Amino acid sequence: MTDIDHTVVAARLEAMTGDEVRALDRAHVFHSWSAQGLIDPLPIARAEGSYFWDYDGKRYLDFSSQLVNVNIGYGHPKVVAAIQEQAARLATIQPAFANDARSEAARLITEVAPEGLSAVFFTNGGAEANENAIRMARLHTGRHKVLATYRSYHGATAGSITLTGDPRRWPSEPGIAGVVHFWGPYTYRSAFHSETEEQERDRALQHLRDTIMVEGAHTIAAIILETVVGTNGILVPPDGYLQGVRDLCDEHGIMLIADEVMAGFGRCGEWFAVDHWGVRPDLITFAKGVNSGYVPLGGVVISDEIRATFDQRAFPGGLTYSGHPLACASAVASINAFHEEGIIGNARMLGTDVIGPRLREIAAKHPSVGDVRGLGVFWAVELVRDRETREPLVPYNAAGEAARPMAAFAAACKQRGLWPFTHFNRTHVVPPCTTTPAEVEDGLAVLDEALSVADEFTV
């Protein structure tokens, strides 16, 4: 076997054209959530800040943060340097050893978590975090049921896809035993015929109380909630709802798991979205924004009470790459950058001063906009055919021709250099937390133009 000249390999990669990248992708890469013959992934050459470029040199302002995870933006020099330095010093070590990057990452994460959550179990991503959180809750309580909402996404592993409420769950059924779904609050499309946020809060809590009653509180280990529902609508809970859930959990000895995989680390203008309401969960799951996906990383922040359960009892879970040094080093650099550069405050300001006010102005102009809602850099624009009836612009879980209005809207955004995040009948405004007000204004101006395409499908 001849030695490979790595400088030649690097030069080959650098010299690749977009057509070559696309051809290799189509020949050898199997893509997630896709019919392989119906997709044509866009080859991306580079990225920086809030932008990425294709091989033709076209620049896109990223209003999706990829999968709502590039919170710190692309190519942050401190995070890149931390990965490079860690790779040179200690590229990997198994989880049974102690490691400085892992220890420091855990310290920094617990430092910004609610009081009384002082330990971190590291995973490779959010799905594994949710798997291990429900395992912890079940072992801590000695109960087996877990309640989750219908409008939710918790991951694609066996347990987390069962927790998931949206249609991505269907092909994987039957899933793990003991998962029960219920309706969370969503005032614009209330399952409880509410007319105000207060009615929605109270009726949703009564529905949850009734669900606990008929399922048997003594059988329920945990309630898992996306603090602010992500892909399924960016549903900001009414004030008092999360505290009401916390109170129900306390009343019945149920653990509250806050899935902050998407909502955490600045996305909602706080370290964790629960901070917006001052609610303390028993477990917090995280991933995505902790290091903006520069290296795969997730985890569970664990309350002192649950941690104590495993002081003299082995926790029956683990991962070869739990607390991987490269990932943890990137998290340390990212969290320190959040502190040093005021990134949390920037995200909060963008929501209150730029995105929220501008989206409300845009909504008033376009008959296709039924509702806008959000916090920080986590917003949804819900599109409708008819404002009076609130009929969605496309049907639930639409595909093919039925999804054409949303496809046309997304294409109009991309044509103008804006990369949107669309799901069902919504477009989500979720740029990096580091995006400047001027960049957000530019993106919203494009969104305003593209909504004229959506308006063509209204009645």
Side-chain angles (χ1 to χ4, degrees):
M1 180 182 292
T2 58
D3 290 337
I4 295 172
D5 186 336
H6 294 287
T7 59
V8 172
V9 173
R12 166 172 157 67
L13 290 174
E14 190 172 343
M16 268 193 185
T17 66
D19 288 342
E20 289 175 314
V21 173
R22 177 180 272 112
L24 287 172
D25 179 277
R26 302 317 304 129
H28 304 294
V29 178
F30 195 93
H31 286 267
S32 56
W33 306 115
S34 302
Q36 305 304 301
L38 301 180
I39 59 173
D40 184 20
L42 176 66
I44 301 302
R46 65 186 184 92
E48 182 180 354
S50 299
Y51 299 91
F52 59 83
W53 285 259
D54 66 19
Y55 277 80
D56 294 325
K58 183 170 182 176
R59 186 182 76 167
Y60 296 89
L61 176 59
D62 191 357
F63 256 33
S64 71
S65 296
Q66 287 303 297
L67 293 175
V68 197
N69 65 306
V70 188
N71 290 15
I72 205 167
Y74 296 99
H76 195 289
K78 294 175 183 175
V79 182
V80 172
I83 295 168
Q84 292 170 331
E85 291 163 9
Q86 185 65 45
R89 186 167 61 87
L90 180 67
T92 188
I93 195 74
Q94 64 119 319
F97 291 101
N99 169 255
D100 55 0
R102 186 187 300 143
S103 301
E104 181 66 357
R107 181 187 73 81
L108 289 170
I109 291 165
T110 58
E111 214 173 53
V112 298
E115 187 175 352
L117 283 81
S118 62
V120 178
F121 177 81
F122 285 108
T123 65
N124 302 315
E128 292 170 343
N130 286 324
E131 292 275 357
N132 282 282
I134 63 172
R135 179 181 290 150
M136 291 172 187
R138 284 171 161 175
L139 292 170
H140 177 71
T141 61
R143 305 171 181 180
H144 71 285
K145 287 183 184 175
V146 180
L147 271 54
T149 64
Y150 277 107
R151 295 185 184 95
S152 66
Y153 179 72
H154 295 289
T157 51
S160 60
I161 199 67
T162 308
L163 298 172
T164 291
D166 80 18
R168 284 172 284 187
R169 181 186 79 251
W170 301 344
S172 297
E173 291 178 321
I176 65 169
V179 174
V180 176
H181 288 98
F182 66 98
W183 293 106
Y186 181 7
T187 305
Y188 185 70
R189 298 192 182 280
S190 175
F192 313 111
H193 309 288
S194 302
E195 296 178 353
T196 66
E197 290 278 286
E198 292 75 16
Q199 284 182 352
E200 185 72 357
R201 175 197 63 208
D202 294 344
R203 293 174 186 182
L205 285 171
Q206 185 59 51
H207 164 67
L208 178 55
R209 178 179 287 278
D210 291 343
T211 304
I212 292 170
M213 176 183 69
V214 297
E215 288 296 332
H218 65 289
T219 71
I220 300 170
I223 296 171
I224 185 168
L225 297 169
E226 289 177 277
T227 309
V228 175
V229 172
T231 305
N232 283 273
I234 306 189
L235 305 177
V236 181
D239 288 345
Y241 177 76
L242 290 177
Q243 185 58 54
V245 176
R246 173 75 272 178
D247 293 343
L248 282 170
C249 288
D250 290 342
E251 180 181 343
H252 297 292
I254 298 168
M255 299 299 100
L256 177 57
I257 304 171
D259 179 342
E260 297 250 354
V261 170
M262 196 173 277
F265 288 96
R267 182 56 54 187
C268 292
E270 306 286 349
W271 282 104
F272 291 102
V274 291
D275 299 338
H276 188 77
W277 295 277
V279 173
R280 176 190 183 269
D282 299 290
L283 298 160
I284 298 175
T285 57
F286 67 89
K288 293 188 184 282
V290 67
N291 67 343
S292 293
Y294 282 38
V295 183
L297 182 66
V300 186
V301 194
I302 307 163
S303 70
D304 296 343
E305 296 85 355
I306 293 177
R307 179 184 185 178
T309 294
F310 302 102
D311 278 348
Q312 303 299 317
R313 173 188 183 183
F315 174 65
L319 301 151
T320 299
Y321 304 117
S322 175
H324 193 282
L326 295 185
C328 288
S330 67
V332 169
S334 180
I335 293 169
N336 283 331
F338 267 87
H339 282 295
E340 294 162 3
E341 299 170 20
I343 294 171
I344 301 289
N346 187 66
R348 187 185 306 125
M349 176 276 295
L350 288 175
T352 57
D353 298 357
V354 185
I355 301 174
R358 185 75 178 99
L359 283 182
R360 285 185 277 272
E361 290 177 6
I362 290 170
K365 293 171 55 179
H366 294 280
S368 60
V369 178
D371 191 34
V372 298
R373 51 185 178 266
L375 292 170
V377 282
F378 206 31
W379 289 78
V381 180
E382 181 153 352
L383 304 183
V384 295
R385 285 188 180 274
D386 187 329
R387 273 186 171 176
E388 293 301 314
T389 66
R390 302 188 180 183
E391 178 190 354
L393 189 67
V394 297
Y396 184 75
N397 201 35
E401 180 61 22
R404 186 167 66 89
M406 287 301 296
F409 161 78
C413 289
K414 294 171 187 177
Q415 183 183 16
R416 294 166 171 80
L418 181 74
W419 198 268
F421 186 110
T422 59
H423 189 256
F424 293 174
N425 67 312
R426 300 176 303 275
T427 187
H428 295 177
V429 178
V430 286
C433 302
T434 51
T435 308
T436 68
E439 290 169 338
V440 171
E441 290 282 7
D442 287 346
L444 293 174
V446 173
L447 192 74
D448 191 358
E449 291 180 22
L451 284 169
S452 297
V453 174
D455 291 342
E456 295 172 8
F457 297 92
T458 60
V459 297

